[in-house]
Amino acid sequence: MNICWYHHSSIDSTNTWPKGQQEGFGHHELTVVTADIQTKGRGRQGKPWFSTEKTSSYLSFAFFWQATAFQPFHFSQLLSICFVELLQMHGIESQIKWPNDLLVNGKKIAGILVEIEPLENLSYIIVGCGLNINMSVKTLDNLPKKATSMLIETGNSFDIQAIQTELISLFLKKLQEVKNQGFEQSIASWHQKVQWMVSQHAIVQTLSTKAEGFITEITPDGNLFLEISPGEIIPVHSGEIFC
Ligand code: BTN
């Protein structure tokens, strides 16, 4: 796959920009969209994504994939594995929190938003991610939830473009692997990395409901099972979890 990288100094959202632009992108291209700042950064479940200028990475991948050969969640599993490897390369140990948050010492450092546009035989896939790189404690203190950055975890500031280049090459390598061998290997790595959550007490907030209980299982395809009262187990397919 060829890489085609579009950088913007300011943009509403790197996930929104490539929407509807698929006509202009080649079927064997990996389009990368980055920005110094997003004015309408979007998180999962319609939440805003806090995006301050030149302090973090706001990056989206856009590409085509055979429609029958994946589930949307596979790409989020793939990218979360890339984040674990990327952070490890810089001496930071991270955990994946279901469904696809990256945590360091219990605080969120990165998030992933996957959006799919079905076409005829292909799907047009946009995988966006935010990674807190040089955000200070003071900046992150303004956020409602606990968050951290590579700067806070290591005491060093980082070249954002260099980190993005590393992430792009990790993701490209994984895409090539799954094209050749399928998703099994990356799904297995993701599955293993979320096992720490099993048996934890958790509150799950979906768009319409809230449930509380103990996590009994997380399946490789990303379903979580919550025991809300003795013997009563419910599946949770998406949502936000507090544990
Ligand atoms: C989450 O809620 O955890 C997902 C956050 C995804 C944020 C990234 S930043 C780059 C891309 N552009 C957006 O508007 N959102 C994603």
Side-chain angles (χ1 to χ4, degrees), residues 93-143:
E93 284 307 316
S94 60
Q95 278 180 315
I96 299 176
K97 183 179 160 204
W98 181 92
N100 55 14
D101 285 349
L102 270 294
L103 301 188
V104 177
N105 294 322
K107 296 177 184 168
K108 183 157 167 171
I109 196 163
I112 299 168
L113 178 66
V114 179
E115 296 180 295
I116 311 272
E117 285 186 27
L119 307 173
E120 224 157 82
N121 297 317
L122 290 173
S123 291
Y124 179 56
I125 299 165
I126 300 172
V127 185
C129 54
L131 170 65
N132 299 337
I133 299 183
N134 294 327
M135 280 177 165
S136 63
V137 173
K138 202 166 151 234
T139 313
L140 290 174
D141 269 355
N142 294 326
L143 295 181

Short mmCIF file of all heavy atoms in Angstrom, two decimals, residues 93-143:
data_model
loop_
_atom_site.label_atom_id
_atom_site.label_comp_id
_atom_site.label_asym_id
_atom_site.label_seq_id
_atom_site.Cartn_x
_atom_site.Cartn_y
_atom_site.Cartn_z
N GLU A 93 4.71 1.28 29.45
CA GLU A 93 3.87 0.06 29.46
C GLU A 93 2.41 0.48 29.52
O GLU A 93 2.01 1.25 30.38
CB GLU A 93 4.19 -0.79 30.70
CG GLU A 93 5.50 -1.56 30.61
CD GLU A 93 5.64 -2.43 29.35
OE1 GLU A 93 4.65 -3.12 28.99
OE2 GLU A 93 6.72 -2.39 28.74
N SER A 94 1.62 0.01 28.58
CA SER A 94 0.21 0.40 28.55
C SER A 94 -0.69 -0.82 28.62
O SER A 94 -0.25 -1.94 28.42
CB SER A 94 -0.08 1.19 27.27
OG SER A 94 0.19 0.38 26.15
N GLN A 95 -1.95 -0.54 28.91
CA GLN A 95 -2.96 -1.61 28.97
C GLN A 95 -4.07 -1.25 28.00
O GLN A 95 -4.37 -0.05 27.83
CB GLN A 95 -3.61 -1.63 30.35
CG GLN A 95 -2.84 -2.35 31.42
CD GLN A 95 -3.61 -2.26 32.73
OE1 GLN A 95 -4.09 -1.20 33.10
NE2 GLN A 95 -3.70 -3.38 33.42
N ILE A 96 -4.70 -2.25 27.43
CA ILE A 96 -5.89 -1.96 26.62
C ILE A 96 -7.10 -2.13 27.52
O ILE A 96 -7.23 -3.14 28.22
CB ILE A 96 -5.99 -2.92 25.41
CG1 ILE A 96 -4.76 -2.75 24.51
CG2 ILE A 96 -7.28 -2.64 24.62
CD1 ILE A 96 -4.71 -3.73 23.34
N LYS A 97 -7.94 -1.11 27.51
CA LYS A 97 -9.18 -1.20 28.28
C LYS A 97 -10.33 -1.36 27.30
O LYS A 97 -10.44 -0.55 26.37
CB LYS A 97 -9.35 0.07 29.12
CG LYS A 97 -10.55 0.05 30.00
CD LYS A 97 -10.63 1.32 30.79
CE LYS A 97 -12.03 1.53 31.30
NZ LYS A 97 -12.30 2.93 31.58
N TRP A 98 -11.15 -2.39 27.51
CA TRP A 98 -12.27 -2.64 26.60
C TRP A 98 -13.10 -1.38 26.41
O TRP A 98 -13.34 -0.69 27.41
CB TRP A 98 -13.15 -3.75 27.20
CG TRP A 98 -14.32 -4.12 26.35
CD1 TRP A 98 -14.37 -5.09 25.41
CD2 TRP A 98 -15.62 -3.51 26.38
NE1 TRP A 98 -15.61 -5.11 24.83
CE2 TRP A 98 -16.39 -4.15 25.40
CE3 TRP A 98 -16.20 -2.44 27.09
CZ2 TRP A 98 -17.72 -3.81 25.16
CZ3 TRP A 98 -17.51 -2.09 26.84
CH2 TRP A 98 -18.26 -2.78 25.88
N PRO A 99 -13.54 -1.00 25.23
CA PRO A 99 -13.27 -1.75 24.01
C PRO A 99 -11.92 -1.40 23.38
O PRO A 99 -11.29 -2.26 22.82
CB PRO A 99 -14.42 -1.35 23.09
CG PRO A 99 -14.84 0.01 23.56
CD PRO A 99 -14.53 0.07 25.03
N ASN A 100 -11.51 -0.13 23.46
CA ASN A 100 -10.28 0.21 22.76
C ASN A 100 -9.57 1.45 23.30
O ASN A 100 -9.01 2.22 22.53
CB ASN A 100 -10.54 0.35 21.25
CG ASN A 100 -11.63 1.36 20.97
OD1 ASN A 100 -12.00 2.11 21.86
ND2 ASN A 100 -12.16 1.37 19.77
N ASP A 101 -9.62 1.64 24.60
CA ASP A 101 -8.87 2.75 25.20
C ASP A 101 -7.48 2.25 25.57
O ASP A 101 -7.32 1.11 25.97
CB ASP A 101 -9.54 3.22 26.49
CG ASP A 101 -10.78 4.03 26.22
OD1 ASP A 101 -11.01 4.40 25.06
OD2 ASP A 101 -11.52 4.28 27.19
N LEU A 102 -6.52 3.15 25.48
CA LEU A 102 -5.17 2.81 25.93
C LEU A 102 -4.92 3.53 27.24
O LEU A 102 -5.10 4.74 27.34
CB LEU A 102 -4.14 3.30 24.90
CG LEU A 102 -3.76 2.32 23.78
CD1 LEU A 102 -3.00 1.13 24.34
CD2 LEU A 102 -4.97 1.83 23.02
N LEU A 103 -4.55 2.74 28.26
CA LEU A 103 -4.33 3.31 29.59
C LEU A 103 -2.88 3.15 30.00
O LEU A 103 -2.25 2.15 29.66
CB LEU A 103 -5.16 2.57 30.65
CG LEU A 103 -6.66 2.48 30.54
CD1 LEU A 103 -7.22 1.85 31.82
CD2 LEU A 103 -7.29 3.84 30.31
N VAL A 104 -2.39 4.15 30.73
CA VAL A 104 -1.08 4.00 31.38
C VAL A 104 -1.30 4.37 32.84
O VAL A 104 -1.83 5.45 33.13
CB VAL A 104 -0.02 4.91 30.72
CG1 VAL A 104 1.31 4.78 31.46
CG2 VAL A 104 0.16 4.56 29.25
N ASN A 105 -0.92 3.48 33.71
CA ASN A 105 -1.16 3.66 35.15
C ASN A 105 -2.61 4.08 35.43
O ASN A 105 -2.87 5.02 36.20
CB ASN A 105 -0.19 4.71 35.71
CG ASN A 105 1.24 4.21 35.64
OD1 ASN A 105 1.50 3.02 35.88
ND2 ASN A 105 2.18 5.09 35.30
N GLY A 106 -3.54 3.44 34.76
CA GLY A 106 -4.96 3.69 35.01
C GLY A 106 -5.50 4.95 34.35
O GLY A 106 -6.68 5.27 34.52
N LYS A 107 -4.67 5.67 33.61
CA LYS A 107 -5.15 6.91 32.99
C LYS A 107 -5.11 6.79 31.47
O LYS A 107 -4.19 6.18 30.92
CB LYS A 107 -4.26 8.08 33.42
CG LYS A 107 -4.32 8.34 34.90
CD LYS A 107 -3.37 9.45 35.26
CE LYS A 107 -3.35 9.66 36.76
NZ LYS A 107 -2.24 10.51 37.16
N LYS A 108 -6.08 7.44 30.83
CA LYS A 108 -6.19 7.28 29.37
C LYS A 108 -5.11 8.09 28.65
O LYS A 108 -4.91 9.27 28.92
CB LYS A 108 -7.59 7.73 28.93
CG LYS A 108 -7.85 7.54 27.45
CD LYS A 108 -9.36 7.47 27.21
CE LYS A 108 -9.72 7.59 25.74
NZ LYS A 108 -11.13 7.33 25.47
N ILE A 109 -4.44 7.43 27.71
CA ILE A 109 -3.40 8.13 26.93
C ILE A 109 -3.80 8.20 25.44
O ILE A 109 -3.33 9.08 24.72
CB ILE A 109 -2.02 7.44 27.12
CG1 ILE A 109 -0.88 8.36 26.65
CG2 ILE A 109 -1.93 6.07 26.44
CD1 ILE A 109 0.50 7.97 27.16
N ALA A 110 -4.67 7.29 25.01
CA ALA A 110 -5.06 7.30 23.59
C ALA A 110 -6.45 6.71 23.43
O ALA A 110 -6.90 5.91 24.26
CB ALA A 110 -4.07 6.49 22.76
N GLY A 111 -7.13 7.14 22.37
CA GLY A 111 -8.46 6.62 22.06
C GLY A 111 -8.62 6.43 20.56
O GLY A 111 -7.90 7.07 19.77
N ILE A 112 -9.53 5.57 20.18
CA ILE A 112 -9.69 5.18 18.77
C ILE A 112 -11.16 5.30 18.36
O ILE A 112 -12.05 4.91 19.10
CB ILE A 112 -9.22 3.71 18.58
CG1 ILE A 112 -7.73 3.59 18.94
CG2 ILE A 112 -9.46 3.23 17.15
CD1 ILE A 112 -7.24 2.15 19.07
N LEU A 113 -11.38 5.84 17.18
CA LEU A 113 -12.75 5.98 16.64
C LEU A 113 -12.78 5.42 15.22
O LEU A 113 -12.13 5.95 14.33
CB LEU A 113 -13.14 7.47 16.62
CG LEU A 113 -14.49 7.82 16.05
CD1 LEU A 113 -15.62 7.28 16.92
CD2 LEU A 113 -14.64 9.34 15.91
N VAL A 114 -13.53 4.32 15.03
CA VAL A 114 -13.60 3.68 13.72
C VAL A 114 -14.94 4.02 13.06
O VAL A 114 -15.99 3.89 13.69
CB VAL A 114 -13.48 2.13 13.84
CG1 VAL A 114 -13.58 1.47 12.48
CG2 VAL A 114 -12.15 1.76 14.49
N GLU A 115 -14.88 4.46 11.83
CA GLU A 115 -16.11 4.75 11.08
C GLU A 115 -16.03 4.08 9.71
O GLU A 115 -14.98 4.09 9.09
CB GLU A 115 -16.28 6.27 10.95
CG GLU A 115 -16.46 6.89 12.32
CD GLU A 115 -16.62 8.40 12.30
OE1 GLU A 115 -15.68 9.10 11.92
OE2 GLU A 115 -17.69 8.86 12.69
N ILE A 116 -17.15 3.49 9.30
CA ILE A 116 -17.15 2.70 8.06
C ILE A 116 -18.20 3.24 7.11
O ILE A 116 -19.33 3.53 7.54
CB ILE A 116 -17.53 1.22 8.36
CG1 ILE A 116 -16.73 0.66 9.53
CG2 ILE A 116 -17.47 0.35 7.11
CD1 ILE A 116 -15.43 0.03 9.21
N GLU A 117 -17.85 3.38 5.84
CA GLU A 117 -18.85 3.70 4.81
C GLU A 117 -18.92 2.51 3.87
O GLU A 117 -17.96 2.24 3.15
CB GLU A 117 -18.46 4.96 4.04
CG GLU A 117 -18.67 6.22 4.84
CD GLU A 117 -18.42 7.50 4.04
OE1 GLU A 117 -18.57 7.50 2.81
OE2 GLU A 117 -18.06 8.49 4.69
N PRO A 118 -20.04 1.77 3.87
CA PRO A 118 -20.13 0.63 2.97
C PRO A 118 -20.27 1.10 1.52
O PRO A 118 -21.06 1.99 1.23
CB PRO A 118 -21.40 -0.10 3.42
CG PRO A 118 -21.98 0.69 4.54
CD PRO A 118 -21.26 1.98 4.66
N LEU A 119 -19.47 0.53 0.62
CA LEU A 119 -19.60 0.81 -0.81
C LEU A 119 -20.11 -0.48 -1.45
O LEU A 119 -20.59 -1.36 -0.72
CB LEU A 119 -18.24 1.23 -1.38
CG LEU A 119 -17.54 2.40 -0.65
CD1 LEU A 119 -16.15 2.60 -1.20
CD2 LEU A 119 -18.36 3.67 -0.77
N GLU A 120 -19.93 -0.65 -2.76
CA GLU A 120 -20.51 -1.85 -3.36
C GLU A 120 -19.86 -3.16 -2.89
O GLU A 120 -20.46 -3.93 -2.16
CB GLU A 120 -20.49 -1.74 -4.87
CG GLU A 120 -21.80 -2.19 -5.48
CD GLU A 120 -22.01 -1.58 -6.83
OE1 GLU A 120 -21.45 -2.14 -7.78
OE2 GLU A 120 -22.71 -0.55 -6.92
N ASN A 121 -18.61 -3.39 -3.30
CA ASN A 121 -17.92 -4.61 -2.84
C ASN A 121 -16.87 -4.33 -1.79
O ASN A 121 -16.37 -5.22 -1.13
CB ASN A 121 -17.23 -5.30 -4.02
CG ASN A 121 -18.24 -5.74 -5.05
OD1 ASN A 121 -19.29 -6.27 -4.68
ND2 ASN A 121 -17.95 -5.49 -6.31
N LEU A 122 -16.55 -3.06 -1.70
CA LEU A 122 -15.50 -2.66 -0.76
C LEU A 122 -16.14 -1.86 0.36
O LEU A 122 -17.24 -1.34 0.22
CB LEU A 122 -14.51 -1.74 -1.47
CG LEU A 122 -13.60 -2.36 -2.53
CD1 LEU A 122 -12.81 -1.27 -3.22
CD2 LEU A 122 -12.65 -3.36 -1.88
N SER A 123 -15.42 -1.72 1.46
CA SER A 123 -15.83 -0.77 2.48
C SER A 123 -14.77 0.31 2.55
O SER A 123 -13.58 0.03 2.34
CB SER A 123 -15.93 -1.45 3.84
OG SER A 123 -17.01 -2.32 3.84
N TYR A 124 -15.21 1.51 2.83
CA TYR A 124 -14.28 2.63 3.02
C TYR A 124 -14.18 2.83 4.54
O TYR A 124 -15.19 3.05 5.20
CB TYR A 124 -14.85 3.86 2.32
CG TYR A 124 -14.03 5.11 2.45
CD1 TYR A 124 -12.70 5.14 2.05
CD2 TYR A 124 -14.59 6.28 2.95
CE1 TYR A 124 -11.96 6.31 2.14
CE2 TYR A 124 -13.86 7.45 3.04
CZ TYR A 124 -12.55 7.46 2.63
OH TYR A 124 -11.81 8.62 2.72
N ILE A 125 -12.98 2.69 5.03
CA ILE A 125 -12.80 2.63 6.48
C ILE A 125 -11.98 3.83 6.97
O ILE A 125 -10.94 4.14 6.40
CB ILE A 125 -12.08 1.31 6.84
CG1 ILE A 125 -12.98 0.16 6.39
CG2 ILE A 125 -11.78 1.21 8.34
CD1 ILE A 125 -12.31 -1.15 6.33
N ILE A 126 -12.47 4.46 8.01
CA ILE A 126 -11.72 5.56 8.61
C ILE A 126 -11.43 5.17 10.06
O ILE A 126 -12.35 4.90 10.84
CB ILE A 126 -12.51 6.88 8.55
CG1 ILE A 126 -12.82 7.24 7.08
CG2 ILE A 126 -11.73 8.02 9.22
CD1 ILE A 126 -13.75 8.41 6.90
N VAL A 127 -10.16 5.10 10.37
CA VAL A 127 -9.74 4.74 11.73
C VAL A 127 -8.98 5.93 12.30
O VAL A 127 -7.86 6.23 11.88
CB VAL A 127 -8.81 3.51 11.73
CG1 VAL A 127 -8.49 3.08 13.16
CG2 VAL A 127 -9.43 2.35 10.98
N GLY A 128 -9.62 6.62 13.22
CA GLY A 128 -8.99 7.82 13.79
C GLY A 128 -8.46 7.53 15.18
O GLY A 128 -9.01 6.71 15.91
N CYS A 129 -7.39 8.24 15.53
CA CYS A 129 -6.86 8.03 16.88
C CYS A 129 -6.25 9.31 17.42
O CYS A 129 -5.65 10.10 16.69
CB CYS A 129 -5.83 6.91 16.89
SG CYS A 129 -4.52 7.13 15.70
N GLY A 130 -6.44 9.49 18.69
CA GLY A 130 -5.82 10.60 19.39
C GLY A 130 -4.83 10.03 20.39
O GLY A 130 -5.15 9.06 21.08
N LEU A 131 -3.64 10.58 20.41
CA LEU A 131 -2.62 10.14 21.38
C LEU A 131 -2.08 11.38 22.08
O LEU A 131 -1.61 12.32 21.43
CB LEU A 131 -1.48 9.42 20.63
CG LEU A 131 -0.22 9.11 21.43
CD1 LEU A 131 -0.50 8.10 22.56
CD2 LEU A 131 0.89 8.57 20.53
N ASN A 132 -2.17 11.37 23.40
CA ASN A 132 -1.67 12.51 24.17
C ASN A 132 -0.15 12.42 24.23
O ASN A 132 0.40 11.49 24.81
CB ASN A 132 -2.22 12.50 25.60
CG ASN A 132 -3.74 12.59 25.62
OD1 ASN A 132 -4.35 13.07 24.66
ND2 ASN A 132 -4.35 12.13 26.69
N ILE A 133 0.52 13.39 23.63
CA ILE A 133 1.99 13.30 23.56
C ILE A 133 2.65 14.30 24.52
O ILE A 133 3.23 13.91 25.52
CB ILE A 133 2.47 13.49 22.10
CG1 ILE A 133 1.88 12.37 21.22
CG2 ILE A 133 4.00 13.47 22.04
CD1 ILE A 133 2.33 12.38 19.78
N ASN A 134 2.53 15.60 24.20
CA ASN A 134 3.25 16.58 25.04
C ASN A 134 2.29 17.37 25.92
O ASN A 134 2.58 18.52 26.28
CB ASN A 134 4.07 17.53 24.15
CG ASN A 134 5.17 16.78 23.43
OD1 ASN A 134 5.73 15.81 23.96
ND2 ASN A 134 5.50 17.19 22.22
N MET A 135 1.16 16.80 26.26
CA MET A 135 0.21 17.52 27.12
C MET A 135 0.71 17.52 28.56
O MET A 135 1.14 16.48 29.07
CB MET A 135 -1.16 16.87 27.06
CG MET A 135 -1.94 17.27 25.83
SD MET A 135 -3.49 16.39 25.79
CE MET A 135 -4.38 17.33 24.55
N SER A 136 0.61 18.68 29.20
CA SER A 136 1.10 18.80 30.58
C SER A 136 0.01 18.38 31.56
O SER A 136 -1.17 18.30 31.20
CB SER A 136 1.50 20.24 30.85
OG SER A 136 0.33 21.03 30.74
N VAL A 137 0.42 18.19 32.81
CA VAL A 137 -0.55 17.85 33.86
C VAL A 137 -1.62 18.93 33.93
O VAL A 137 -2.81 18.65 34.05
CB VAL A 137 0.17 17.72 35.23
CG1 VAL A 137 -0.81 17.53 36.35
CG2 VAL A 137 1.18 16.58 35.19
N LYS A 138 -1.17 20.19 33.81
CA LYS A 138 -2.10 21.32 33.93
C LYS A 138 -3.18 21.26 32.85
O LYS A 138 -4.36 21.45 33.12
CB LYS A 138 -1.30 22.62 33.81
CG LYS A 138 -1.97 23.80 34.42
CD LYS A 138 -1.03 24.97 34.57
CE LYS A 138 -1.84 26.24 34.49
NZ LYS A 138 -1.36 27.17 33.49
N THR A 139 -2.77 20.97 31.62
CA THR A 139 -3.75 20.89 30.52
C THR A 139 -4.71 19.74 30.75
O THR A 139 -5.93 19.88 30.59
CB THR A 139 -3.02 20.65 29.17
OG1 THR A 139 -1.95 21.56 29.09
CG2 THR A 139 -3.93 20.82 27.99
N LEU A 140 -4.17 18.60 31.14
CA LEU A 140 -5.03 17.41 31.28
C LEU A 140 -5.93 17.48 32.50
O LEU A 140 -6.96 16.82 32.55
CB LEU A 140 -4.16 16.14 31.30
CG LEU A 140 -3.51 15.82 29.95
CD1 LEU A 140 -2.56 14.65 30.08
CD2 LEU A 140 -4.56 15.51 28.89
N ASP A 141 -5.54 18.30 33.47
CA ASP A 141 -6.37 18.46 34.66
C ASP A 141 -7.74 19.05 34.33
O ASP A 141 -8.69 18.93 35.09
CB ASP A 141 -5.66 19.37 35.68
CG ASP A 141 -4.81 18.54 36.63
OD1 ASP A 141 -4.88 17.29 36.54
OD2 ASP A 141 -4.09 19.13 37.45
N ASN A 142 -7.83 19.73 33.15
CA ASN A 142 -9.11 20.33 32.75
C ASN A 142 -10.10 19.29 32.25
O ASN A 142 -11.26 19.59 32.01
CB ASN A 142 -8.89 21.33 31.60
CG ASN A 142 -8.08 22.51 32.08
OD1 ASN A 142 -8.21 22.92 33.23
ND2 ASN A 142 -7.22 23.04 31.21
N LEU A 143 -9.63 18.07 32.04
CA LEU A 143 -10.52 17.04 31.48
C LEU A 143 -11.36 16.39 32.56
O LEU A 143 -10.89 16.22 33.69
CB LEU A 143 -9.69 15.97 30.77
CG LEU A 143 -8.93 16.43 29.53
CD1 LEU A 143 -8.17 15.28 28.92
CD2 LEU A 143 -9.88 17.03 28.52
#
